[in-house]
Amino acid sequence: KIVVVTHSKGVDFLMEGAADKNGNPYNINVEALTERGVTFDVCDITLKSRNLKREQFIPEAKFVPSGVAELGKLQARGGYAYIKP
């Protein structure tokens, strides 16, 4: 199972209307990956610090209280490995 945990500017690709530099929308790939079991977590602390609202994000985005804490939890209890691109 793959969990993508986002925080800071890393949440931007999960926002409604987000696209790459060529104008290709990210939501198409996110939807396809979600159908294959990948989950996308967004840090609530980031939302608060950047004055963002949950309504600004695509439906596939899930929200966690803290992205960093979620990473620790997944590693310690879930047996996940942390991979940063």
Side-chain angles (χ1 to χ4, degrees):
K1 179 163 166 102
I2 297 172
V3 179
V4 178
V5 181
T6 64
H7 65 93
S8 190
K9 292 186 180 191
V11 306
D12 293 356
F13 81 101
L14 294 171
M15 296 181 76
E16 288 284 354
D20 67 18
K21 63 183 177 185
N22 295 318
N24 300 309
Y26 288 116
N27 69 308
I28 294 170
N29 289 327
V30 171
E31 289 170 13
L33 289 168
T34 300
E35 288 177 11
R36 296 180 70 185
V38 177
T39 58
F40 294 85
D41 294 344
V42 176
C43 173
D44 273 334
I45 293 173
T46 294
L47 269 61
K48 291 175 189 164
S49 69
R50 292 185 57 196
N51 294 315
L52 300 172
K53 305 287 182 221
R54 289 182 176 196
E55 297 79 30
Q56 293 176 269
F57 290 82
I58 60 176
E60 292 76 18
K62 306 299 179 213
F63 300 91
V64 296
S66 167
V68 172
E70 188 68 13
L71 287 172
K73 181 179 88 174
L74 289 169
Q75 288 178 352
R77 296 184 218 154
Y80 285 78
Y82 174 68
I83 301 171
K84 180 178 178 181

